[in-house]
């Protein structure tokens, strides 16, 4: 079995910090007045994916109350009852997008500091 075909553990996946950072920057650079609802929903979904990926990393929440607080905030934000639906007004969906972007940025900073890459 070649190295390329060997199964990989979930923990072996790589976090693309540059991609996440670019996604956050793009989403936070959006303006409600010039964004379509489809764009808002698309970028929200992308950020939720990035945030979920970062939540799967060992970031020291057991030892750092600030990081633990970030996890609590993320779990509240990602709870399905807090996510926008098709019936949610565009302003509220946009607000959720911004909250998700800001929180993802904070997680990326913690990940970057803990992983030693210094990118985020």
């Amino acid at each position: 079995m070649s190295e390329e075909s060997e199964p990989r553990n979930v923990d072996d996946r790589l976090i693309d910090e540059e991609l996440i950072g670019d996604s956050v920057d793009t989403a936070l650079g959006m303006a409600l007045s010039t964004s379509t609802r489809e764009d808002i929903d698309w970028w929200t979904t992308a950020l939720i994916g990035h945030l979920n990926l970062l939540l799967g990393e060992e970031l020291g929440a057991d030892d750092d109350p600030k990081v633990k607080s970030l996890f609590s905030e993320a779990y509240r934000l990602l709870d399905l009852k807090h996510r926008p639906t098709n019936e949610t007004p565009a302003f509220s969906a946009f607000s959720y997008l911004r909250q998700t972007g800001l929180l993802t940025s904070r997680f990326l900073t913690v990940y970057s500091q803990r992983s030693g890459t210094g990118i985020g």
Side-chain angles (χ1 to χ4, degrees):
M1 179 180 259
S2 73
E3 186 176 314
E4 291 179 345
S5 63
E6 289 182 27
R8 295 181 59 170
N9 293 328
V10 172
D11 292 338
D12 292 341
R13 67 187 181 276
L14 299 175
I15 301 288
D16 189 338
E17 295 175 65
E18 187 174 350
L19 173 66
I20 295 172
D22 288 347
S23 295
V24 167
D25 290 345
T26 298
L28 292 178
M30 294 171 63
L32 178 60
S33 61
T34 59
S35 300
T36 65
R37 178 60 191 260
E38 291 78 23
D39 287 342
I40 293 168
D41 292 345
W42 193 92
W43 283 105
T44 298
T45 301
L47 291 176
I48 287 171
H50 294 320
L51 184 54
N52 275 316
L53 188 61
L54 291 166
L55 282 168
E57 295 299 308
E58 174 51 55
L59 300 177
D62 292 337
D63 303 320
D64 187 335
K66 290 180 183 179
V67 175
K68 187 174 187 172
S69 177
L70 275 179
F71 273 85
S72 295
E73 188 176 340
Y75 292 136
R76 273 192 307 278
L77 184 70
L78 294 174
D79 188 322
L80 290 176
K81 66 184 174 193
H82 296 289
R83 292 188 193 185
T85 66
N86 290 336
E87 292 77 35
T88 304
F91 176 79
S92 296
F94 187 77
S95 177
Y96 183 86
L97 167 70
R98 292 198 49 80
Q99 291 173 34
T100 306
L102 292 169
L103 189 58
T104 302
S105 177
R106 291 167 59 198
F107 265 91
L108 183 59
T109 299
V110 172
Y111 174 81
S112 177
Q113 291 169 346
R114 300 287 165 117
S115 68
T117 61
I119 293 173

